[in-house]
């Protein structure tokens, strides 16, 4: 499991326990200070199945074919280069992988992502939405996507317009 935008590791710690000794959690973030703090936490809690990954705004920099589930919790709206990130995530995803995004149903400037914008941006890179679950009276949602079988050419990606965001 990849915890994209792991921050302080709230989900990383829980995922580590969930996947157990035979599983692996990649805690990815673009902020070195967050990863330094998370490294201390991982060491203190003895989480031997967690690997930290320093990504970039456009690239999570995860090992190839290493991820069954990529989880992005309340951070998609913070991504400066969503098309680049989504494109560069593809090599890390194994066959049958899922990308699960939990975010607030509001404008990106209000720290959320309108569901139509999310679906449009992922579709532009070839992902297909396979589930959508409104949570907390529709104020929050969980959207699940499957990746494309083949990465699109970057020049073929058409940015979304008029979907209530960026």
């Amino acid at each position: 499991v990849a915890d994209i935008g792991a921050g302080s590791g709230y989900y990383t710690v829980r995922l580590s326990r969930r996947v157990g000794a035979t599983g692996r959690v990649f805690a990815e973030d673009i902020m070195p200070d967050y990863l330094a703090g998370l490294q201390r936490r991982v060491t203190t809690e003895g989480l031997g199945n967690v690997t930290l990954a320093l990504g970039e705004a456009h690239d999570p920099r995860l090992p190839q074919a290493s991820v069954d589930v990529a989880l992005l919790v309340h951070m998609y709206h913070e991504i400066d280069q969503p098309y680049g990130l989504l494109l560069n995530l593809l090599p890390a995803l194994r066959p049958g992988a899922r990308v699960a995004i939990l975010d607030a149903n509001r404008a990106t400037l209000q720290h959320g992502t309108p569901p139509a914008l999310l679906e449009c941006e992922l579709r532009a890179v070839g992902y297909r939405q396979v589930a959508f679950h409104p949570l907390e009276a529709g104020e929050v949602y969980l959207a699940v996507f499957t990746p494309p079988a083949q990465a699109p050419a970057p020049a073929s990606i058409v940015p979304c317009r008029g979907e209530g965001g960026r």
Side-chain angles (χ1 to χ4, degrees):
V1 176
D3 182 6
I4 309 288
S8 65
Y10 179 86
Y11 291 100
T12 297
V13 169
R14 284 150 182 81
L15 290 166
S16 171
R17 294 179 183 132
R18 182 74 178 179
V19 302
T22 60
R24 167 101 5 232
V25 176
F26 294 97
E28 184 275 349
D29 210 293
I30 63 170
M31 304 295 292
D33 290 346
Y34 289 169
L35 290 176
L38 183 51
Q39 180 62 61
R40 288 189 294 276
R41 186 172 185 188
V42 164
T43 300
T44 299
E45 296 192 30
L47 305 176
N49 63 353
V50 173
T51 299
L52 302 183
L54 178 62
E56 298 178 43
H58 70 286
D59 190 347
R61 299 182 65 191
L62 295 169
Q64 188 159 340
S66 62
V67 175
D68 293 309
V69 176
L71 180 63
L72 295 83
V73 179
H74 290 298
M75 59 73 62
Y76 185 86
H77 59 272
E78 301 287 348
I79 298 172
D80 288 333
Q81 301 177 40
Y83 303 107
L85 180 94
L86 293 167
L87 189 63
N88 288 314
L89 177 60
L90 288 172
L93 299 175
R94 291 180 175 164
R98 298 288 187 264
V99 176
I101 300 173
L102 183 81
D103 214 333
N105 185 0
R106 56 180 172 247
T108 54
L109 292 176
Q110 296 174 331
H111 298 284
T113 306
L117 176 65
L118 180 75
E119 196 274 334
C120 182
E121 289 183 348
L122 275 92
R123 183 175 11 95
V125 185
Y127 291 79
R128 185 173 59 88
Q129 187 169 313
V130 294
F132 184 87
H133 306 282
L135 308 168
E136 298 178 21
E139 293 180 28
V140 175
Y141 62 85
L142 172 65
V144 181
F145 297 84
T146 58
Q150 184 174 348
S156 72
I157 298 171
V158 179
C160 299
R161 303 271 185 245
E163 300 294 336
R166 301 181 201 276

